[in-house]
Amino acid sequence: MKHIAVSGIQVHWWSSREGLADGDEKNGQAYAHSQMTGSKPSNDDLAWTAGSHCPALDGIRGMAILAVTIYRFCQVLEPKSVPWIAQVVSLSNIGSRGVDLFFVLSGFLITGILLKTKSKPSYLRNFYVRRTLRIFPLYFLSLLLFLVIIPWLTGTREFERPKALQGYLWTYTSNLCMSWVNEWCFGPMDHFWSLAIEEHFYLVWPLIVLWLSRKVLAWFTIAGIVAIVTARTLTALFDGTDVSLDVFTLFRADSLLIGAFLAQVIDRVNYRKRLVCFSWSGLPVLAILIATAGLLGQRWLELPNTLCPLFCFCFMAIVLLSRRESTLARVVGDVTFAYSASTATECT
């Protein structure tokens, strides 16, 4: 994956910050199974509980920001200048997968909101209005700054490429353009592809959640994940599709659906213990497969685009279903939140 810039992460932070400010709305409902010991702590002991602020979710977002930030800054290093820098740059490529964590987290949070509010009056109107007010001002201000103000004040030609195709940026369809021409064609604004995918999800998913029952929605989510993975794998057999596989909405929406499925399955009391067992078992296997693919530099028919979101799914399940005072929850919630909070201050 390429071209994921810090500015894109800043917009992601701002647009999804609501999930932590409005604790009970984004967290949906509280669920828990502490660990695989069979103990049943009260909801107050959990890393994630209903109606309260969840430091673990702050921390998970902070981890994604940290990963992508390290990746982007390592890309400007010159490997030839110092031998060991080449190894650092190579290892930092895993940081580009921070966007997968953002997608899984976004699918989880948004689905939690939708499931809780779908029975309320003005369900769709309230959701779309809140998303618009949360995202549009900063997004369009960024476009105005990069496409109009900075070129006018400085005379720079750095943004000539995105200016020539700015219609796609203003309509959240830059990723569709990149998919069609199979090229990173927006220069310094290539990274806006991920924001376009988020907006497509925000537009369609609330309607699906509204129309389907909880049981049907779960099966629809699973079917969607399988269909997307299959379509992406088959498309990878053809040459000239590498960029499309990275940025086309229907080839990346499985990450969002995986997060959406986590929001649904964590709501089932009888499934919580199995969810924790599955996550603990799957995490090391997925880590080995992802590391192997990274070290060999292989795309393997886009298998990493499936493995990474599944890894994020397992990691989030383990963290959210752990005790609030466990070492894991405290490290994720306290250490990475300290970083992400400072990043948010810089962004604003």
Side-chain angles (χ1 to χ4, degrees), residues 249-306:
T249 302
L250 293 181
F251 290 155
R252 297 308 301 271
D254 56 327
S255 298
L256 290 156
L257 292 181
I258 286 172
F261 184 71
L262 177 59
Q264 297 171 63
V265 74
I266 206 172
D267 191 18
R268 309 294 179 87
V269 176
N270 296 333
Y271 293 163
R272 293 170 195 163
K273 186 173 182 178
R274 279 178 280 180
L275 176 60
V276 173
C277 292
F278 168 82
S279 299
W280 275 114
S281 301
L283 204 65
V285 176
L286 292 168
I288 292 172
L289 292 174
I290 293 169
T292 302
L295 291 173
L296 296 178
Q298 298 295 318
R299 294 177 70 121
W300 287 339
L301 298 179
E302 298 306 309
L303 185 60
N305 278 354
T306 302

Side-chain angles (χ1 to χ4, degrees), residues 97 100 104 254-255 258 304-314:
R97 289 296 173 179
D100 290 311
V104 175
D254 56 327
S255 298
I258 286 172
N305 278 354
T306 302
L307 297 177
C308 290
L310 289 176
F311 180 90
C312 296
F313 173 97
C314 293

Side-chain angles (χ1 to χ4, degrees), residues 8 14 26 28 33 36-37 53 62 67 72 76 87 94 113 136 193 202 211 220 223 238 254 293 314 319 323 326:
W14 182 264
K26 283 234 177 158
H33 188 285
M36 291 163 39
T37 60
H53 174 255
R72 283 304 298 174
V76 302
Q87 297 300 321
I94 192 66
I113 291 179
F136 281 20
W193 68 268
Y202 295 156
W211 292 334
F220 177 89
F238 299 92
D254 56 327
C314 293
V319 172
R323 292 180 181 273
S326 67

Side-chain angles (χ1 to χ4, degrees), residues 32-42 46 273 323:
H33 188 285
S34 64
Q35 302 182 15
M36 291 163 39
T37 60
S39 61
K40 297 181 179 179
S42 66
L46 304 175
K273 186 173 182 178
R323 292 180 181 273

Side-chain angles (χ1 to χ4, degrees), residues 26-318:
K26 283 234 177 158
N27 287 342
Q29 300 127 8
Y31 321 102
H33 188 285
S34 64
Q35 302 182 15
M36 291 163 39
T37 60
S39 61
K40 297 181 179 179
S42 66
N43 285 344
D44 291 339
D45 294 331
L46 304 175
W48 184 56
T49 57
S52 63
H53 174 255
C54 182
L57 289 176
D58 284 307
I60 290 171
R61 182 176 288 106
M63 293 175 69
I65 293 173
L66 181 61
V68 177
T69 301
I70 292 175
Y71 165 74
R72 283 304 298 174
F73 280 108
C74 283
Q75 300 312 298
V76 302
L77 298 177
E78 178 49 61
K80 296 180 180 179
S81 60
V82 181
W84 61 266
I85 290 183
Q87 297 300 321
V88 174
V89 172
S90 178
L91 291 173
S92 71
N93 287 333
I94 192 66
S96 66
R97 289 296 173 179
V99 74
D100 290 311
L101 183 53
F102 267 115
F103 282 164
V104 175
L105 181 61
S106 180
F108 173 78
L109 293 173
I110 292 300
T111 303
I113 291 179
L114 297 175
L115 290 175
K116 183 177 181 180
T117 60
K118 66 178 294 184
S119 61
K120 295 182 178 181
S122 305
Y123 155 81
L124 288 176
R125 186 195 66 186
N126 291 342
F127 177 81
Y128 288 133
V129 168
R130 295 188 68 170
R131 287 293 97 196
T132 298
L133 294 177
R134 179 68 58 172
I135 299 170
F136 281 20
L138 182 59
Y139 178 80
F140 290 121
L141 180 61
S142 298
L143 294 184
L144 185 64
L145 181 66
F146 293 129
L147 299 178
V148 179
I149 297 177
I150 291 180
W152 178 66
L153 291 177
T154 66
T156 180
R157 301 181 64 84
E158 178 71 16
F159 298 97
E160 285 301 309
R161 293 186 71 189
K163 281 182 66 176
L165 299 169
Q166 62 178 294
Y168 294 101
L169 291 168
W170 291 102
T171 56
Y172 282 104
T173 54
S174 61
N175 70 315
L176 302 183
C177 175
M178 296 163 74
S179 300
W180 180 255
V181 300
N182 194 49
E183 179 183 348
W184 298 95
C185 54
F186 287 85
M189 303 182 75
D190 277 335
H191 54 279
F192 277 60
W193 68 268
S194 59
L195 301 176
I197 290 178
E198 289 268 9
E199 282 305 306
H200 300 164
F201 179 72
Y202 295 156
L203 180 64
V204 175
W205 190 240
L207 297 173
I208 295 175
V209 173
L210 177 63
W211 292 334
L212 302 181
S213 67
R214 290 290 295 267
K215 183 177 181 179
V216 175
L217 180 65
W219 284 110
F220 177 89
T221 305
I222 294 173
I225 294 170
V226 173
I228 291 170
V229 172
T230 302
R232 185 172 59 222
T233 302
L234 293 176
T235 304
L237 295 172
F238 299 92
D239 294 331
T241 59
D242 54 321
V243 176
S244 300
L245 292 168
D246 276 344
V247 304
F248 185 49
T249 302
L250 293 181
F251 290 155
R252 297 308 301 271
D254 56 327
S255 298
L256 290 156
L257 292 181
I258 286 172
F261 184 71
L262 177 59
Q264 297 171 63
V265 74
I266 206 172
D267 191 18
R268 309 294 179 87
V269 176
N270 296 333
Y271 293 163
R272 293 170 195 163
K273 186 173 182 178
R274 279 178 280 180
L275 176 60
V276 173
C277 292
F278 168 82
S279 299
W280 275 114
S281 301
L283 204 65
V285 176
L286 292 168
I288 292 172
L289 292 174
I290 293 169
T292 302
L295 291 173
L296 296 178
Q298 298 295 318
R299 294 177 70 121
W300 287 339
L301 298 179
E302 298 306 309
L303 185 60
N305 278 354
T306 302
L307 297 177
C308 290
L310 289 176
F311 180 90
C312 296
F313 173 97
C314 293
F315 175 73
M316 284 181 57
I318 290 171

